[in-house]
Amino acid sequence: KDVKLYTAECLAKLLRVYAPETPYTDEELGSVFQLLMWALERLDNRSAPTFEISFTVLQLTEQVKFYLLLLDLDAPDLLPQLFQVLMGCAREDNLEYVEHSVLEILC
């Protein structure tokens, strides 16, 4: 799981470097977003040692506005999935950490 999280973090940083273009095909980008959303799902436990990595992925998603790329993909299920993941990760014990980024993405 840790390797998968670090991979998600690295891919998020690569997307930031290449923004607003991406070095991936639409199919590859869909897989990247699946991995990023998997990492965001790990935000539900503030005490987990991997929370900081997942939080970095969330911040990069918000700052670089990766979610806007979802609008161009031919994958209509990814955007609702992102909203569901973000709503699920905003919990009382971690809300002070994730609230700003989640609200920026959702609004």
Side-chain angles (χ1 to χ4, degrees):
K1 286 185 176 180
D2 288 352
V3 172
K4 201 171 178 180
L5 275 173
Y6 283 116
T7 302
E9 181 184 23
C10 288
L11 287 170
K13 288 180 178 181
L14 276 173
L15 286 172
R16 179 182 61 184
V17 168
Y18 284 101
E21 300 299 319
T22 64
Y24 306 110
T25 65
D26 284 356
E27 184 177 316
E28 293 168 333
L29 198 55
S31 297
V32 168
F33 278 115
Q34 289 287 354
L35 181 61
L36 293 178
M37 285 188 270
W38 178 88
L40 293 174
E41 288 174 347
R42 303 303 169 277
L43 286 166
D44 64 350
N45 185 359
R46 172 69 182 109
S47 61
T50 55
F51 180 84
E52 291 301 322
I53 301 165
S54 296
F55 185 63
T56 299
V57 172
L58 175 65
Q59 289 179 312
L60 288 168
T61 301
E62 179 230 333
Q63 293 166 358
V64 185
K65 302 186 182 341
F66 299 148
Y67 51 91
L68 293 176
L69 294 172
L70 289 175
L71 301 173
D72 293 335
L73 286 180
D74 187 27
D77 57 322
L78 287 179
L79 193 57
Q81 183 182 352
L82 175 63
F83 278 74
Q84 188 175 30
V85 167
L86 291 173
M87 294 301 289
C89 77
R91 299 182 184 273
E92 187 175 332
D93 64 328
N94 69 3
L95 197 55
E96 66 183 275
Y97 298 98
V98 302
E99 180 179 26
H100 175 74
S101 294
V102 168
L103 286 175
E104 282 295 317
I105 293 169
L106 293 177
C107 295

